[in-house]
Amino acid sequence: MASLSRAPQQWATFARVWYLLDGKMQPPGKLAALASVRLQGLHKPVYHQLSDCGDHVVIMNTRHIAFSGNKWEQKVYSSHTGYPGGFKQVTAAQLHRKDPVAIVKLAIYGMLPKNLHRRTLMKRLHLFPDEDIPEDILKNLTEELPQPRKVPRRLDEYTQEEIEAFPRVWSPLLRCNSGVPSFGYFVLHV
Amino acid sequence: MAALNVLVSGCGRFLRGLLTGPTVTSWARPPARWLREVVEIQEGKTTIIEGRITGTPRESPNPPNPSGQCPICRWNLKHKYSYEDVLLLSQFIRPHGGMLPRRVTGLCQEEHRKIEECVKMAHRAGLLPNHRPKLPEGFVPKTRPRLNRYLTRWSPRSVKPIYNKGHRWNKLNRLPEVEVRTQLLGFGQGQSYKGAAGRKGWSSPSPTIPFLSDWRPHGGACKGFSQLLMGN
């Protein structure tokens, strides 16, 4: 492969790239970790804090993120309006209902470096609650990043052959009146 | 028969396993009574309730470890399954999602409890959509927007928000520390969990049940057993 001359090589190294990330059934913390790395430009070997080498990240389906454990009920987002008595605390579930984008936005905001670059990097982040993304952003997208969490398959997503191929692990073991384990009645309401 | 009864009642599981285990499981002995399905037919003023013999589900032949007492030991599945292994878990549940009793399935106490917890977590993660509880006839539930969750050990209704996570010297029990080795590649593999001490806080898989995939040394995001068996 022929190597590029100087100007095209410079352009290829420092061009700003647009990444797409699908947040369906993904934990928002892992999405935020990926996004913050790309926004800062830490994934590039030419990274420097002052060289403004970050990329754009578009996250879709933020309405369908999944928290592990009981974080929907336990995780609390706090804020203060500045006025006395203005301390507000909302659970993750309430915040998500009010604004489906806020959880991912706050997660990424907290993972970026706490300097003046943070606001500019947040401007390069684009969050959409569902799959509809404006056309001009769609035209810019170059790569889709793989999802951080492997989503497990539901029972109805397995084919009948796979279900039959899986071995049956037990046979019914019922005791009749004498107390000796044997096969017996098992009521099936059809 | 009387002697057998005495042994079964008096000496417990061990002898029961010796005397009846091999005869029941590994030798292909036909069952004493088949599984029946109850059918109710209404003919005018006569109601006929009949038990028709149906196919008895039998254990698949040649388990890897025939000398095991419970199905999990027999198939070498101890510490190998997780809430994602729906193909395994669905064998132990009723059509409406409840667990089958231990005396029917033949599981040992600890494995029965583990499977029960995994089934609850699978239900909460939405992995068993066709095993929902039966609703009364004609009842249309209000479809609220459902939140996606996974690895939910405790019931969502039983949990309160954590308004105060504590000061620096008295922080709550954080989730086990995650060592992200492959962060730049974007995959969740290569994580390992270390234990956490402190007062109870975030609901996380309890350290007393080490079988759950998060607490295994090689990490949380490993394939479930069913996926490995399928060759994925």
Side-chain angles (χ1 to χ4, degrees):
Chain A
M1 195 184 102
S3 59
L4 300 167
S5 56
R6 288 197 190 279
Q9 179 66 64
Q10 182 81 357
W11 181 87
T13 319
F14 290 98
R16 213 167 280 154
V17 177
W18 286 65
Y19 291 103
L20 177 65
L21 195 46
D22 190 356
K24 196 154 199 180
M25 301 298 285
Q26 302 298 308
K30 295 202 175 147
L31 290 174
L34 283 186
S36 75
V37 162
R38 306 271 159 174
L39 285 168
Q40 291 174 69
L42 285 171
H43 60 294
K44 297 182 177 174
V46 293
Y47 168 77
H48 184 78
Q49 296 90 324
L50 301 175
S51 58
D52 196 18
C53 48
D55 293 327
H56 288 257
V57 176
V58 175
I59 303 187
M60 64 177 187
N61 281 327
T62 55
R63 187 172 275 138
H64 305 285
I65 50 174
F67 265 121
S68 65
N70 288 93
K71 285 187 214 151
W72 283 119
E73 289 79 31
Q74 284 186 319
K75 191 167 176 67
V76 156
Y77 289 89
S78 323
S79 60
H80 202 293
T81 57
Y83 291 93
F87 185 51
K88 296 201 200 300
Q89 285 185 299
V90 269
T91 58
Q94 292 165 343
L95 183 63
H96 195 67
R97 207 170 298 138
K98 230 171 36 171
D99 183 12
V101 161
I103 289 186
V104 183
K105 193 162 167 191
L106 285 169
I108 295 176
Y109 192 74
M111 293 200 188
L112 291 173
K114 317 288 181 277
N115 52 28
L116 292 174
H117 288 302
R118 186 162 57 161
R119 299 264 165 162
T120 35
L121 296 184
M122 286 302 280
K123 283 192 193 154
R124 291 190 191 145
L125 171 70
H126 312 273
L127 296 166
F128 299 99
D130 297 305
E131 298 239 354
D132 16 276
I133 304 176
E135 270 197 39
D136 39 0
I137 294 184
L138 276 178
K139 279 190 211 156
N140 286 340
L141 293 171
T142 56
E143 195 189 325
E144 180 167 358
L145 300 172
Q147 292 192 310
R149 173 195 172 220
K150 186 158 178 274
V151 183
R153 288 167 78 183
R154 295 198 315 256
L155 191 57
D156 49 353
E157 282 167 10
Y158 282 98
T159 55
Q160 194 57 34
E161 293 87 37
E162 283 174 329
I163 296 175
E164 274 155 32
F166 195 81
R168 206 182 142 83
V169 163
W170 65 284
S171 15
L173 190 72
L174 277 170
R175 257 180 249 159
C176 48
N177 288 334
S178 63
V180 177
S182 66
F183 299 100
Y185 258 118
F186 187 58
V187 171
L188 282 170
H189 289 284
V190 179
Chain B
M1 198 63 177
L4 192 63
N5 269 344
V6 164
L7 278 171
V8 162
S9 58
C11 304
R13 249 209 123 180
F14 176 63
L15 277 174
R16 197 184 301 150
L18 279 183
L19 290 166
T20 57
T23 57
V24 165
T25 52
S26 58
W27 301 357
R29 199 179 69 167
R33 308 194 67 191
W34 300 94
L35 246 79
R36 289 139 203 266
E37 127 192 78
V38 173
V39 165
E40 203 175 299
I41 308 166
Q42 190 91 18
E43 282 172 5
K45 281 193 178 174
T46 332
T47 315
I48 302 172
I49 306 174
E50 193 187 359
R52 289 197 196 143
I53 294 174
T54 55
T56 314
R58 303 296 302 274
E59 184 178 341
S60 298
N62 309 321
N65 182 18
S67 64
Q69 293 304 308
C70 70
I72 306 285
C73 307
R74 257 180 270 135
W75 288 86
N76 287 337
L77 290 176
K78 240 180 147 86
H79 311 299
K80 290 268 170 36
Y81 59 90
S82 159
Y83 77 103
E84 311 157 329
D85 302 315
V86 188
L87 290 172
L88 174 70
L89 299 177
S90 59
Q91 293 184 21
F92 296 100
I93 55 177
R94 293 181 201 253
H96 289 301
M99 281 286 290
L100 289 166
R102 197 164 75 92
R103 56 190 159 79
V104 166
T105 58
L107 286 165
C108 43
Q109 177 75 286
E110 38 171 306
E111 291 300 326
H112 176 81
R113 281 207 203 118
K114 288 179 196 174
I115 297 253
E116 195 183 357
E117 282 303 329
C118 284
V119 162
K120 281 189 204 161
M121 292 205 285
H123 276 300
R124 286 172 193 142
L127 299 176
L128 298 164
N130 298 330
H131 292 265
R132 288 291 144 119
K134 190 174 161 195
L135 295 167
E137 286 166 12
F139 177 73
V140 177
K142 288 180 242 182
T143 45
R144 280 197 319 260
R146 295 274 162 207
L147 296 167
N148 296 327
R149 54 181 81 235
Y150 65 100
L151 268 181
T152 326
R153 172 98 191 273
W154 312 110
S155 159
R157 295 193 301 182
S158 72
V159 154
K160 290 256 166 77
I162 298 177
Y163 287 116
N164 195 0
K165 290 210 287 201
H167 296 281
R168 200 171 303 185
W169 57 86
N170 191 22
K171 280 276 184 197
L172 271 186
N173 181 11
R174 285 176 58 90
L175 278 176
E177 288 158 25
V178 171
E179 188 189 279
V180 180
R181 270 184 259 134
T182 53
Q183 188 181 15
L184 289 179
L185 291 176
F187 276 99
Q189 293 162 16
Q191 291 173 354
S192 70
Y193 286 85
K194 301 170 203 161
R199 61 189 174 102
K200 190 168 177 205
W202 295 111
S203 68
S204 52
S206 152
T208 54
I209 302 193
F211 73 101
L212 289 175
S213 40
D214 290 341
W215 291 82
R216 275 180 273 177
H218 54 275
C222 55
K223 291 181 192 172
F225 180 74
S226 358
Q227 313 241 353
L228 279 171
L229 209 62
M230 294 295 117
N232 284 349

